[in-house]
Structures are given as C-alpha cells and as structure tokens.
Coordinates of all heavy atoms in Angstrom, one line a residue:
Y131 N -36.0 -39.5 101.2 CA -35.9 -38.9 99.9 C -35.4 -39.9 98.9 O -34.4 -40.6 99.1 CB -35.0 -37.7 100.0 CG -34.7 -37.1 98.6 CD1 -35.5 -36.1 98.1 CD2 -33.6 -37.4 97.9 CE1 -35.3 -35.5 96.9 CE2 -33.4 -36.8 96.6 CZ -34.2 -35.9 96.2 OH -34.0 -35.3 94.9
R132 N -36.1 -40.1 97.7 CA -35.7 -41.0 96.7 C -35.8 -40.3 95.4 O -36.8 -40.1 94.8 CB -36.6 -42.3 96.7 CG -36.5 -43.2 97.9 CD -37.2 -44.5 97.6 NE -36.6 -45.2 96.5 CZ -37.2 -46.2 95.9 NH1 -38.4 -46.7 96.3 NH2 -36.6 -46.8 94.8
P133 N -34.6 -40.0 94.8 CA -34.6 -39.4 93.5 C -34.6 -40.5 92.4 O -33.9 -41.5 92.5 CB -33.3 -38.6 93.4 CG -32.4 -39.4 94.4 CD -33.3 -40.0 95.4
L134 N -35.4 -40.4 91.4 CA -35.5 -41.3 90.3 C -35.4 -40.6 89.0 O -36.1 -39.6 88.8 CB -36.8 -42.1 90.4 CG -37.0 -43.0 91.7 CD1 -38.4 -43.5 91.7 CD2 -36.0 -44.1 91.7
A135 N -34.7 -41.2 88.0 CA -34.7 -40.6 86.7 C -36.0 -40.8 86.0 O -36.5 -39.9 85.3 CB -33.6 -41.3 85.8
Y136 N -36.7 -41.9 86.3 CA -38.1 -42.1 85.7 C -38.7 -43.2 86.5 O -38.0 -43.9 87.3 CB -38.0 -42.5 84.2 CG -37.3 -43.8 84.0 CD1 -37.9 -45.0 83.9 CD2 -35.9 -43.8 83.8 CE1 -37.3 -46.2 83.7 CE2 -35.2 -45.0 83.6 CZ -35.9 -46.2 83.6 OH -35.3 -47.4 83.4
V137 N -40.0 -43.4 86.3 CA -40.7 -44.6 86.8 C -41.4 -45.3 85.7 O -41.8 -44.6 84.7 CB -41.6 -44.2 88.0 CG1 -40.9 -43.7 89.2 CG2 -42.7 -43.3 87.5
D138 N -41.5 -46.6 85.8 CA -42.1 -47.3 84.7 C -43.6 -47.1 84.7 O -44.2 -47.1 83.6 CB -41.8 -48.8 84.8 CG -40.3 -49.2 84.6 OD1 -39.7 -48.5 83.7 OD2 -39.8 -50.0 85.3
H139 N -44.2 -47.0 85.8 CA -45.7 -46.9 85.9 C -46.0 -45.7 86.8 O -46.0 -45.8 88.0 CB -46.3 -48.2 86.4 CG -45.9 -49.4 85.6 ND1 -46.5 -49.6 84.4 CD2 -45.1 -50.4 85.9 CE1 -46.0 -50.8 83.9 NE2 -45.1 -51.3 84.8
M140 N -46.3 -44.5 86.2 CA -46.7 -43.4 86.9 C -47.9 -43.6 87.8 O -48.1 -43.0 88.8 CB -46.9 -42.2 86.0 CG -45.7 -41.5 85.5 SD -44.7 -40.8 86.8 CE -45.8 -39.7 87.6
S141 N -48.8 -44.5 87.4 CA -50.0 -44.8 88.2 C -49.6 -45.2 89.6 O -50.3 -44.9 90.6 CB -50.9 -45.8 87.5 OG -50.2 -47.0 87.3
D142 N -48.5 -46.0 89.7 CA -48.1 -46.4 91.0 C -47.6 -45.3 91.9 O -47.9 -45.2 93.1 CB -46.9 -47.4 90.9 CG -47.4 -48.8 90.2 OD1 -48.6 -49.0 90.2 OD2 -46.5 -49.5 89.7
A143 N -46.9 -44.3 91.2 CA -46.4 -43.1 91.9 C -47.6 -42.3 92.4 O -47.7 -41.8 93.5 CB -45.5 -42.3 91.1
Y144 N -48.6 -42.1 91.5 CA -49.8 -41.4 91.9 C -50.5 -42.0 93.1 O -51.0 -41.4 94.0 CB -50.8 -41.2 90.7 CG -50.3 -40.4 89.6 CD1 -50.6 -40.7 88.3 CD2 -49.5 -39.2 89.8 CE1 -50.1 -39.9 87.2 CE2 -49.0 -38.4 88.8 CZ -49.4 -38.8 87.5 OH -48.9 -38.0 86.4
A145 N -50.6 -43.3 93.0 CA -51.4 -44.1 94.1 C -50.7 -43.9 95.4 O -51.3 -43.9 96.5 CB -51.5 -45.5 93.7
A146 N -49.3 -43.8 95.4 CA -48.6 -43.7 96.7 C -48.6 -42.3 97.2 O -48.2 -42.1 98.4 CB -47.2 -44.2 96.5
A147 N -48.9 -41.3 96.4 CA -48.8 -39.9 96.8 C -50.0 -39.3 97.4 O -51.1 -39.7 97.1 CB -48.4 -39.1 95.5
D148 N -49.7 -38.4 98.4 CA -50.8 -37.5 98.9 C -50.9 -36.2 98.3 O -51.9 -35.5 98.2 CB -50.5 -37.3 100.4 CG -50.6 -38.6 101.2 OD1 -51.6 -39.4 101.1 OD2 -49.7 -38.9 102.0
L149 N -49.7 -35.7 97.7 CA -49.6 -34.4 97.2 C -48.5 -34.4 96.1 O -47.5 -35.1 96.3 CB -49.3 -33.4 98.2 CG -49.1 -31.9 97.8 CD1 -50.4 -31.3 97.3 CD2 -48.5 -31.1 98.9
M150 N -48.7 -33.7 95.0 CA -47.7 -33.7 94.0 C -47.4 -32.2 93.6 O -48.3 -31.4 93.5 CB -48.1 -34.4 92.7 CG -47.0 -34.4 91.6 SD -47.3 -35.6 90.3 CE -48.6 -34.7 89.4
L151 N -46.1 -31.9 93.4 CA -45.6 -30.6 93.0 C -45.1 -30.9 91.6 O -44.1 -31.7 91.4 CB -44.6 -30.0 93.9 CG -43.9 -28.7 93.5 CD1 -44.9 -27.6 93.5 CD2 -42.7 -28.4 94.4
A152 N -45.6 -30.2 90.6 CA -45.2 -30.5 89.2 C -45.3 -29.2 88.3 O -46.0 -28.3 88.6 CB -46.0 -31.6 88.6
R153 N -44.5 -29.3 87.2 CA -44.8 -28.3 86.1 C -46.1 -28.6 85.4 O -46.5 -29.8 85.5 CB -43.6 -28.2 85.2 CG -43.4 -29.5 84.4 CD -42.1 -29.4 83.5 NE -41.9 -30.6 82.8 CZ -42.4 -30.9 81.6 NH1 -43.2 -30.0 81.0 NH2 -42.1 -32.0 80.9
S154 N -46.7 -27.6 84.8 CA -48.0 -27.8 84.2 C -47.9 -28.2 82.7 O -48.5 -27.6 81.8 CB -48.9 -26.6 84.4 OG -48.2 -25.4 84.0
G155 N -47.1 -29.3 82.5 CA -47.1 -29.9 81.2 C -48.5 -30.5 80.9 O -49.2 -30.9 81.8
A156 N -48.8 -30.5 79.6 CA -50.2 -31.0 79.2 C -50.5 -32.4 79.8 O -51.5 -32.7 80.3 CB -50.3 -31.0 77.7
G157 N -49.5 -33.3 79.7 CA -49.7 -34.6 80.2 C -49.9 -34.7 81.7 O -50.8 -35.4 82.1
T158 N -49.1 -33.9 82.4 CA -49.3 -33.9 83.9 C -50.7 -33.4 84.2 O -51.3 -33.9 85.1 CB -48.2 -32.9 84.5 OG1 -46.9 -33.4 84.2 CG2 -48.4 -32.9 86.0
V159 N -51.1 -32.3 83.6 CA -52.5 -31.7 83.9 C -53.5 -32.8 83.7 O -54.4 -33.0 84.5 CB -52.7 -30.5 83.0 CG1 -54.2 -30.0 83.2 CG2 -51.8 -29.3 83.4
V160 N -53.5 -33.5 82.5 CA -54.5 -34.5 82.2 C -54.5 -35.6 83.2 O -55.5 -36.0 83.8 CB -54.3 -35.0 80.8 CG1 -55.2 -36.2 80.5 CG2 -54.6 -33.9 79.8
E161 N -53.3 -36.1 83.5 CA -53.2 -37.3 84.4 C -53.7 -37.0 85.8 O -54.4 -37.8 86.4 CB -51.7 -37.8 84.4 CG -51.3 -38.5 83.1 CD -49.8 -38.9 83.1 OE1 -49.2 -38.8 84.2 OE2 -49.3 -39.2 82.1
T162 N -53.2 -35.8 86.4 CA -53.6 -35.5 87.7 C -55.1 -35.2 87.8 O -55.8 -35.5 88.8 CB -52.8 -34.3 88.3 OG1 -52.9 -33.2 87.4 CG2 -51.4 -34.7 88.4
A163 N -55.7 -34.7 86.7 CA -57.1 -34.4 86.7 C -57.9 -35.7 86.7 O -58.9 -35.8 87.4 CB -57.5 -33.6 85.5
V164 N -57.4 -36.7 86.0 CA -58.0 -38.0 85.9 C -58.0 -38.7 87.3 O -59.0 -39.3 87.7 CB -57.4 -38.9 84.8 CG1 -57.9 -40.3 84.9 CG2 -57.7 -38.3 83.5

C-alpha cells in the first residue's frame, strides 16, 4: 500500500494499474476513457 498526496504524471499511474476505483469527476472520466 502506497498513499500519495499527488503524482506528477498520472499517465504513469494509469500505465501501472490494472483497475482503478475513482469518483466520477469530469477529468477522471475523460482520462480513463482515453
């Protein structure tokens, strides 16, 4: 388990992930769709 206040490059986090649990903010919806 690694808690982080933020990450500099969300693309890196997406690339490392198999599954994401998130609120449906507009930015999150767009990014995960892309």
Side-chain angles (χ1 to χ4, degrees):
Y131 175 88
R132 289 192 63 193
L134 298 170
Y136 64 91
V137 296
D138 292 322
H139 303 287
M140 281 300 299
S141 58
D142 293 340
Y144 292 145
D148 296 308
L149 176 69
M150 185 166 74
L151 176 67
R153 63 184 180 88
S154 50
T158 300
V159 171
V160 171
E161 289 176 12
T162 55
V164 170

